[in-house]
Amino acid sequence: MIIVSSCLLGVCCRYDATHSIDRTILSLADLEAIIPVCPEQLGGLTTPRPPAQIVKGSGIDVLMRKAKVIDSENRDVTSNFLTGAEMALLIAQTLKIKKAILKERSPSCGVHYIKKGDLLTKGSGVTTELFRRNGIRVISSAEINKEFLMS
């Protein structure tokens, strides 16, 4: 089984109520059971919602309480992001899932990059970091390969 960001599967759960469907990921359903998750919705945020970004750090800093997640209306939504990451982790642990494919650039799911305003910066999202801390291998949709599926 693999956890996948719901938006990559065509679910309109992004902040702007759209999706980021990835047909390659959809085709994985023939090989693996796919469990869709949207940490931001699991954390209680609505869809649509104001876009958010991690301020003064990345996902690891949010987990260490050294950074916050602030939306475009200047609201602190850090607790929503933490709760969503914890709920996604609970799903993974309950189902004994050790692999995840998450949406790059997201403050929740970014694997190598997160958006800060209009800029793309190195760093990872809150859920990605929590997964990594708990032994879940995380890749972005651009990194899918047979080795990942077989490992």
Side-chain angles (χ1 to χ4, degrees):
M1 282 189 274
I2 301 174
I3 280 190
V4 176
S5 295
S6 296
C7 62
L8 294 171
L9 300 172
V11 177
C12 294
C13 58
R14 289 171 33 103
Y15 73 93
D16 58 359
T18 63
H19 60 74
S20 297
I21 195 165
D22 185 308
R23 303 242 179 250
T24 301
I25 293 172
L26 279 176
S27 71
L28 295 179
D30 294 334
L31 306 171
E32 292 268 359
I34 293 175
I35 309 301
V37 299
C38 176
E40 294 174 25
Q41 287 184 333
L42 288 170
L45 295 173
T46 61
T47 302
R49 59 189 166 274
Q53 64 183 359
I54 299 172
V55 177
K56 296 186 181 175
S58 66
I60 190 97
D61 301 302
V62 174
L63 291 177
M64 295 170 55
R65 308 299 199 261
K66 293 180 178 179
K68 293 183 177 191
V69 185
I70 306 295
D71 73 16
S72 63
E73 296 177 357
N74 208 33
R75 288 184 297 215
D76 185 340
V77 290
T78 306
S79 64
N80 299 95
F81 277 73
L82 290 168
T83 298
E86 290 162 3
M87 295 283 81
L89 178 63
L90 178 62
I91 291 167
Q93 290 175 329
T94 300
L95 298 175
K96 298 179 176 33
I97 296 172
K98 293 294 180 187
K99 297 183 276 187
I101 303 170
L102 300 180
K103 175 71 174 97
E104 198 68 87
R105 297 185 265 174
S106 159
S108 290
C109 298
V111 178
H112 304 291
Y113 298 97
I114 53 177
K115 284 194 79 173
K116 293 195 178 205
D118 292 332
L119 300 175
L120 195 59
T121 62
K122 282 194 173 220
S124 51
V126 179
T127 300
T128 296
E129 285 300 332
L130 188 61
F131 277 8
R132 286 177 175 157
R133 279 187 168 187
N134 285 276
I136 298 171
R137 185 170 169 213
V138 182
I139 68 168
S140 73
S141 56
E143 298 173 305
I144 295 171
N145 56 44
K146 287 184 181 180
E147 292 86 39
F148 176 75
L149 295 173
M150 301 301 226
S151 63

